[in-house]
């Protein structure tokens, strides 16, 4: 069994500027942490870049240095969540190199559920941005601060479009990361057949886990077990 590599984290496509210095990276992390906390407290509709800046303790211009609007900011948070999810799966598989297909499925499902329970903002924004509500502007936060990013001297354009593109089908990004990890761990190719199977599994598990957390804020254990048994039956033969 070859060691399981962590899939490569990538810069969030929604970023206007990638941080280079450690201080800038730390500021970006504070902004995303603040965004996640506010999502838990008030939801996506009430989120604003100004509130995030206040919570993070940074000037509003610092937010616009990275993001053109709140949707781009939430897309970056979703991207960070995906990197963290891949890291957790990688660590779990690496810690048990003899894990079989059923154990690998457990790792993928259990880490997702654990993040649902413990990671700020993840219950609302896991790997994708919520659908825009009527009146949700792609150019700013309900008219607030659109020009501040320009006054900061940052390049405009591109970030918003990239955020929309990344949000179109986040589960396919999840599938690519999971396939890479599982194929390496189980010493099999990440071919189209595996991608198709994992895509169906991810879409199904996503819907059922959402149901489990609607039924019980901590995740209904019976529904989670049903999800696990379904994934065993559908995915395990393809992973063996």
């Amino acid at each position: 069994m070859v060691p399981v590599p962590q899939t490569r984290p990538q810069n969030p496509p929604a970023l206007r500027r990638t941080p280079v210095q450690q201080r800038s990276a730390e500021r970006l992390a504070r902004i995303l942490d603040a965004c996640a906390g506010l999502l838990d407290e008030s939801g996506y509709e009430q989120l604003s870049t100004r509130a995030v800046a206040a919570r993070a303790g940074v000037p509003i211009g610092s937010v616009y240095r990275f993001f053109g609007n709140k949707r781009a900011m939430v897309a970056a948070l979703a991207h960070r969540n995906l990197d963290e999810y891949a890291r957790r799966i990688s660590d779990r598989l690496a810690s048990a190199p003899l894990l079989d297909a059923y154990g690998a499925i457990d790792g993928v499902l259990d880490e997702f559920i654990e993040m649902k329970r413990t990671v700020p903002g993840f219950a609302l924004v896991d790997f994708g941005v919520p659908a825009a509500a009527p009146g949700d502007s792609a150019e700013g936060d309900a008219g607030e601060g659109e020009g501040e990013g320009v006054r900061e001297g940052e390049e405009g354009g591109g970030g918003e479009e990239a955020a929309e593109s990344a949000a179109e089908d986040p589960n396919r990004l999840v599938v690519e990361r999971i396939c890479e990890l599982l194929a390496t761990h189980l010493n099999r190719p990440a071919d189209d057949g595996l991608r198709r199977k994992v895509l169906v599994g991810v879409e199904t598990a996503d819907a059922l886990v959402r149901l489990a957390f609607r039924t019980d804020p901590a995740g209904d254990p019976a529904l989670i077990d049903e999800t696990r048994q379904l994934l065993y039956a559908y995915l395990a033969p393809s992973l063996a």
Side-chain angles (χ1 to χ4, degrees):
M1 194 74 64
V2 296
V4 178
Q6 181 177 331
T7 56
R8 296 186 302 275
Q10 300 172 354
N11 291 322
L15 287 183
R16 280 179 158 178
R17 173 171 292 181
T18 301
V20 177
Q21 298 181 344
Q22 181 177 354
R23 183 175 65 177
S24 181
E26 290 171 350
R27 179 172 292 186
L28 173 60
R30 291 206 309 275
I31 290 169
L32 293 180
D33 288 345
C35 176
L38 287 169
L39 283 168
D40 277 342
E41 294 173 18
S42 55
Y44 178 74
E45 297 305 319
Q46 299 303 313
L47 185 71
S48 73
T49 51
R50 196 171 296 279
V52 169
R55 173 66 62 88
V58 302
I60 183 67
S62 292
V63 176
Y64 284 106
R65 179 173 292 117
F66 295 114
F67 310 110
N69 54 48
K70 73 176 184 181
R71 192 165 182 80
M73 179 170 55
V74 173
L77 176 64
H79 189 97
R80 186 176 76 166
N81 286 341
L82 180 54
D83 281 343
E84 172 63 12
Y85 181 51
R87 184 196 65 78
R88 288 178 178 224
I89 295 173
S90 177
D91 289 349
R92 180 152 176 167
L93 296 179
S95 69
L98 299 181
L99 210 61
D100 62 7
Y102 295 96
I105 291 170
D106 284 340
V108 171
L109 179 61
D110 290 346
E111 294 301 337
F112 182 56
I113 291 168
E114 180 65 14
M115 289 184 73
K116 281 280 190 186
R117 289 171 174 159
T118 63
V119 173
F122 194 84
L124 181 60
V125 175
D126 44 30
F127 309 123
V129 185
D136 185 18
S137 170
E139 300 301 325
D141 295 337
E144 125 172 89
E146 295 95 324
E148 303 206 34
V150 177
R151 286 198 296 273
E152 282 291 303
E154 300 301 328
E155 61 276 23
E160 291 81 0
E161 291 81 359
E164 294 293 334
S165 177
E168 285 177 2
D169 196 354
N171 277 349
R172 288 192 179 272
L173 299 179
V174 177
V175 167
E176 287 301 318
R177 303 294 282 272
I178 291 176
C179 279
E180 183 179 344
L181 290 165
L182 291 181
T184 302
H185 179 75
L186 298 170
N187 196 26
R188 59 149 300 164
D191 54 23
D192 288 343
L194 179 62
R195 289 188 181 90
R196 185 167 51 251
K197 286 284 187 179
V198 173
L199 175 61
V200 172
V202 165
E203 292 284 357
T204 303
D206 186 31
L208 291 175
V209 169
R210 288 178 188 276
L211 175 61
F213 279 84
R214 286 199 305 271
T215 304
D216 180 343
D220 182 83
L223 286 173
I224 290 172
D225 186 62
E226 292 291 337
T227 304
R228 191 182 310 277
Q229 297 306 318
L230 185 151
L231 292 176
Y232 282 170
Y234 180 72
L235 278 181
S238 299
L239 297 176

